[in-house]
Amino acid sequence: MENPDIPAGGGPFSLENFLRDELARIQEAGLLRRLRVLDSPQTTHIVSDGRALVNFSSNDYLGLANHPALKEAARIEWEKAGFGSGASRLVCGTLAAHERLEEMISGFKRAGAALCFSSGYAAAMGTIPALCSSEDVIILDKLCHACLVDAARLSGAQLRVFPHNDVEKLESHLRWARAKHRGSRVLVVAESVYSMDGDVAPLREIVDLKDRHGAWLFLDEAHGVGVLGANGRGLAEATGVEGRIEVQMGTLGKALGTHGAYITGCRLLRDFLVNRSRSFIYSTAPPAPVAAAAARAVEILGGAEGGSLRRSLWKNIRNLGSALGIPEPPSAIIPIIVGAEAAAMAAGGDLLASGFLVPAIRYPTVARGAARLRVTLSASHSDEDVGSLAEVLKPHMAGTPTC
Ligand SMILES: *Cc1c(COP(=O)(O)O)cnc(C)c1O
């Protein structure tokens, strides 16, 4: 029934009014975000708003997003299998390309099995709430990615957050969880490389602790796979704890240059997720050509070319670190902490005017007052790209520790 007190369309209560007020509030706080359209492919040299820019903002760490072998794999697959998958994997959407990709991933990761999802966000949202519910405890690092936080909240489990990389506090949460919730499942959630800080988790200690207290570990290797470890399998490989982690997640849209994500673990984990993961069950399977391109990317990562791309990436990481006079960065993500939101935006604007795309990262992605420029490096950057970036970054380095 119509309410005679409310004008048609809602008047002051209209959606439009709400949206306008909210956007004005965001803008006043200096936090308004806008989409930037690229008029070129996603590579290290891009065109946006008619301007040529050197791109230091992408997570395409190995330059695979435009690799000819990936394009070729996708082309062959779409000629063979078409584009759409038609349905959820469980209905009729599981195609040969999906199974092959999962075999490639489990082989590469030396895991019992892999299960793919449409995105990293979907992988987290589908896996964490399948493993834990209101009787259980989830303990997260303070800087975990939004999808891990959202997934933990969705699970209904009791949440505990430990300060970033603080293993003592993690241990006290583990003790608390075991004392209070004797029969519960306890899941520790951490990343290998933190996406806005570029630092790495003390993974060995975390694995020792979760073992000692009978907890499981969910490790998000989004920025570790392809970058860390002698064979590019991530921080778990680099620290020698691969066999001791219950659940690993990785994304296909970063170093693997495509789209989607995977969960690896034991065979039973895969069977369980096929039955219990809502983002897997109730969502259309990713397109076969994307899966075929991702399988090709995994093949490249595991072979000689992957090794050589990784060496190029690390040469760029070391060169930028030494040109900036900072300790050797532990990953391909190098934050230049600026502090105030407005100052970070201004610094990003300066870099843009000099022809470099380096995103300013602000609240709520990072804490208030910890705004930063986030530089990401790729194997595809040339020595000259890196050298000229260092020159324009130096004036903005005030808040970043140097050696
Ligand atoms: C990018 C990212 C995700 C999300 O992956 P998408 O495939 O982009 O949805 C999850 N975790 C971390 C740490 C990430 O950086």
Side-chain angles (χ1 to χ4, degrees):
M1 257 231 301
E2 259 177 53
N3 181 342
D5 297 337
I6 299 176
F13 306 111
S14 73
L15 175 64
E16 246 180 68
N17 268 356
F18 163 75
L19 300 175
R20 202 175 297 111
D21 290 352
E22 283 300 302
L23 284 166
R25 219 190 308 269
I26 297 169
Q27 174 141 37
E28 267 161 39
L31 298 175
L32 191 69
R33 298 164 181 234
R34 289 184 195 283
L35 298 171
R36 166 183 300 282
V37 181
L38 298 195
D39 310 314
S40 67
Q42 175 60 253
T43 61
T44 48
H45 289 255
I46 57 174
V47 178
S48 177
D49 281 339
R51 301 201 41 223
L53 298 169
V54 191
N55 183 10
F56 285 98
S57 68
S58 168
N59 302 314
D60 178 25
Y61 299 121
L62 300 178
L64 291 183
N66 275 280
H67 194 291
L70 271 63
K71 293 186 195 175
E72 181 64 3
R75 186 187 64 74
I76 291 171
E77 190 64 29
W78 97 49
E79 281 171 3
K80 203 164 66 188
F83 210 85
S85 297
S88 155
R89 290 275 298 276
L90 281 160
V91 175
C92 66
T94 295
L95 307 174
H98 299 125
E99 293 287 312
R100 181 171 141 69
L101 171 58
E102 286 166 354
E103 274 164 32
M104 297 286 303
I105 292 171
S106 59
F108 170 66
K109 289 287 290 177
R110 303 191 171 176
L115 188 68
C116 287
F117 290 76
S118 301
S119 70
Y121 216 112
M125 294 303 273
T127 302
I128 292 174
L131 293 173
C132 291
S133 61
S134 56
E135 318 283 287
D136 305 320
V137 177
I138 300 179
I139 307 175
L140 303 102
D141 187 287
K142 170 93 174 113
L143 294 190
C144 274
H145 190 270
C147 69
L148 304 173
V149 175
D150 291 357
R153 286 184 180 150
L154 179 65
S155 75
Q158 284 218 44
L159 307 188
R160 284 290 179 277
V161 174
F162 58 99
H164 180 49
N165 281 349
D166 183 340
V167 287
E168 275 175 32
K169 194 68 193 170
L170 165 62
E171 175 153 40
S172 78
H173 285 327
L174 281 164
R175 282 185 202 287
W176 168 85
R178 272 288 157 252
K180 275 244 158 168
H181 302 259
R182 295 206 143 266
S184 302
R185 299 180 280 256
V186 180
L187 180 69
V188 177
V189 177
E191 290 177 30
S192 61
V193 173
Y194 283 84
S195 56
M196 295 301 139
D197 290 67
D199 59 343
V200 300
L203 187 56
R204 238 176 198 292
E205 285 120 296
I206 291 175
V207 168
D208 286 344
L209 283 175
K210 67 92 187 160
D211 279 350
R212 199 172 312 142
H213 295 276
W216 304 332
L217 177 60
F218 179 106
L219 182 69
D220 180 349
E221 287 263 25
H223 299 277
V225 71
V227 174
L228 298 176
N231 298 288
R233 299 200 297 271
L235 185 65
E237 180 194 10
T239 49
V241 294
E242 283 173 290
R244 298 171 59 195
I245 299 170
E246 286 77 10
V247 188
Q248 286 195 51
M249 166 177 151
T251 62
L252 301 171
K254 288 166 180 157
L256 284 136
T258 57
H259 190 82
Y262 62 80
I263 295 287
T264 54
C266 62
R267 184 88 223 161
L268 291 172
L269 175 66
R270 184 182 192 273
D271 293 345
F272 173 78
L273 291 176
V274 166
N275 283 276
R276 282 279 189 274
S277 170
R278 293 170 64 85
S279 65
F280 177 85
I281 299 170
Y282 299 106
S283 188
T284 300
V290 175
R296 191 72 182 88
V298 175
E299 201 178 329
I300 290 173
L301 217 60
E305 190 179 352
S308 119
L309 290 171
R310 214 153 27 250
R311 280 189 294 281
S312 301
L313 171 62
W314 277 98
K315 181 194 69 179
N316 287 339
I317 295 171
R318 289 193 191 99
N319 284 349
L320 184 62
S322 65
L324 293 177
I326 55 173
E328 184 176 311
S331 77
I333 302 166
I334 301 164
I336 311 291
I337 309 293
V338 175
E341 280 69 33
M345 293 305 286
D350 280 356
L351 288 173
L352 203 61
S354 316
F356 297 88
L357 179 57
V358 177
I361 308 286
R362 295 168 283 173
Y363 177 82
T365 308
V366 295
R368 277 188 204 280
R372 63 201 62 189
L373 296 169
R374 176 182 183 263
V375 175
T376 46
L377 289 164
S378 164
S380 304
H381 286 119
S382 67
D383 290 349
E384 197 198 328
D385 293 337
V386 174
S388 47
L389 174 71
E391 288 309 310
V392 297
L393 273 180
K394 275 179 193 164
H396 302 287
M397 294 287 294
T400 299
T402 50
C403 49

